[in-house]
Amino acid sequence: MNIWKPLVLILPVIVVTTGVVYADRDEREGEGRGWFSSFRLDVAPVTDPLYQEECGACHFAYQPGLLPERSWQKMMTQLDDHFGDNAELVEAKRQQIEAYLGTNAADHANYKRSKGFARSIKADEIVLRITDTLYFKRKHDEVPARLVTGNKDVGSYSHCAACHTDAAKGSYNEHEVRIPGVGRWDD
Amino acid sequence: MKYLIRLSALLVCITPLSLVANPVVEQLLQDYKQQSPDRPTAAKGKSLWVLAVRVQGVDEKRSCTRCHGDSLANDGQHAKTGKTIKPMSPIVNARRYTDAQKIEKWFRRNCKWTWGRECTADEKASFLLYLTTSTD
């Protein structure tokens, strides 16, 4: 009988410390890796070769799960002025890419960061720049501009892969950040 | 010997069509020929390649070399995103000029971005002759 006594005493300690460990991980990983939530932490990687080829030729192939469907739809109807560049496509390819982006958009994706992006945008708002979303701003508000826009090896907050070493896989974990000329960035 | 090199260089310059062994490019050149009575040349293509144009509403002069760089054999760099653009010369980049759709797509986009209009058939043919034959 006496063997249960220490166990009863120790049990709350185990529960509490485990909670602390997980809470800490939640904080550090940006989004929750709770016991009951899915293990898909960031955003789904790009899977469509046409999207990778056509869009990735000029810039980092931003994962569809970084913006909601309405944003992609609007963007895909104004490719002749794509943030100042001409990115026109033949209609068949344009439609195919728009469908891929729409289906995998942030508001349809079961990934933590996608949900974060989708939730951070007002329902009546159409944001075209990922960097304009509240979620993005919140995640980067501690990074001084001099390390990004003032850093010739980064240049812009739009260049995800300049610092997020696994961005191409859809992984934006803080521990993977290496800012050129600065190094690690986890506080 | 030097004379021989110069002579062969000269021959290469005046007979660009013979160097175009690529069927995709040949077909495109045929198509452009039907659209334009002008006679495209590699020399014309070269001068157009470096021609800097200022488009209304754009605060810089732009030429093809703005992104593709000064040498066809070297990497270029996207003006805005900084992404590497592979060399334009088919001598160092064998994948160039093997897909007609792709060529047309980039002519359309890049002529508009650089000059503010689409290129004519004669201009496109001249570009192709220059790009596929030059050792610049």
Side-chain angles (χ1 to χ4, degrees):
Chain A
M1 277 305 255
N2 271 350
I3 197 167
W4 292 107
K5 250 186 178 173
L7 261 185
V8 167
L9 282 172
I10 233 167
L11 193 65
V13 179
I14 294 172
V15 170
V16 168
T17 43
T18 316
V20 167
V21 167
Y22 270 82
D24 185 43
R25 275 174 87 163
D26 285 357
E27 190 54 42
R28 291 164 59 136
E29 308 256 336
E31 282 297 318
R33 183 180 271 184
W35 286 355
F36 304 106
S37 68
S38 104
F39 277 83
R40 297 166 159 184
L41 263 173
D42 290 355
V43 299
V46 169
T47 50
D48 185 47
L50 183 68
Y51 174 74
Q52 182 69 49
E53 156 87 19
E54 294 297 339
C55 307
C58 298
H59 56 69
F60 175 75
Y62 303 102
Q63 287 86 11
L66 296 172
L67 282 176
E69 182 171 9
R70 59 187 184 280
S71 300
W72 293 123
Q73 273 176 350
K74 184 169 183 195
M75 199 182 299
M76 293 303 288
T77 57
Q78 48 189 44
L79 287 176
D80 58 327
D81 183 5
H82 186 62
F83 306 104
D85 274 4
N86 186 302
E88 286 173 279
L89 289 163
V90 293
E91 184 56 17
K93 286 186 178 177
R94 193 201 65 77
Q95 280 181 16
Q96 200 180 323
I97 290 173
E98 184 182 298
Y100 167 68
L101 291 169
T103 312
N104 297 281
D107 43 346
H108 305 309
N110 188 25
Y111 283 74
K112 287 289 174 186
R113 288 196 201 277
S114 291
K115 288 170 187 273
F117 275 105
R119 270 200 300 262
S120 80
I121 305 165
K122 287 185 203 133
D124 59 348
E125 212 181 354
I126 303 180
V127 182
L128 292 181
R129 289 178 189 275
I130 296 159
T131 49
D132 282 345
T133 62
L134 208 61
Y135 182 84
F136 183 93
K137 288 180 184 170
R138 216 162 50 218
K139 291 294 174 191
H140 295 84
D141 62 357
E142 287 176 7
V143 187
R146 70 184 158 79
L147 301 184
V148 182
T149 47
N151 183 337
K152 68 171 173 53
D153 295 321
V154 183
S156 161
Y157 282 95
S158 315
H159 299 163
C160 309
C163 303
H164 291 277
T165 51
D166 275 328
K169 293 182 202 153
S171 180
Y172 293 88
N173 190 307
E174 193 173 331
H175 305 307
E176 296 156 3
V177 169
R178 299 286 182 277
I179 302 176
V182 179
R184 300 180 70 98
W185 184 266
D186 36 3
D187 46 16
Chain B
M1 185 62 187
K2 228 175 187 176
Y3 172 76
L4 264 181
I5 292 173
R6 278 192 188 158
L7 181 72
S8 46
L10 186 71
L11 279 174
V12 163
C13 287
I14 58 173
T15 55
L17 268 171
S18 65
L19 270 177
V20 184
N22 172 345
V24 172
V25 175
E26 298 248 30
Q27 183 58 52
L28 275 173
L29 289 174
Q30 293 280 332
D31 296 347
Y32 294 146
K33 204 172 172 181
Q34 285 178 356
Q35 296 169 40
S36 168
D38 299 325
R39 197 177 148 269
T41 63
K44 211 189 312 186
K46 181 174 180 167
S47 57
L48 292 171
W49 186 255
V50 296
L51 178 71
V53 172
R54 179 146 185 188
V55 178
Q56 207 181 358
V58 178
D59 54 9
E60 61 170 353
K61 276 184 148 189
R62 287 172 176 172
S63 67
C64 305
T65 54
R66 171 77 176 82
C67 296
H68 291 293
D70 292 328
S71 166
L72 301 179
N74 293 340
D75 281 340
Q77 200 183 24
H78 192 285
K80 188 181 277 178
T81 67
K83 190 140 185 166
T84 298
I85 301 170
K86 294 195 181 101
M88 294 305 288
S89 167
I91 301 161
V92 292
N93 182 5
R95 282 191 63 203
R96 285 278 177 222
Y97 320 110
T98 53
D99 178 343
Q101 261 197 5
K102 199 169 170 176
I103 295 170
E104 278 292 327
K105 178 185 78 184
W106 285 111
F107 268 144
R108 195 177 152 81
R109 287 179 176 177
N110 292 348
C111 290
K112 283 187 175 181
W113 186 85
T114 317
W115 290 351
R117 62 166 176 84
E118 288 203 44
C119 290
T120 65
D122 177 57
E123 286 164 344
K124 289 193 275 191
S126 296
F127 277 133
L128 278 183
L129 287 173
Y130 168 59
L131 295 170
T132 52
T133 59
S134 171
T135 51
D136 284 357

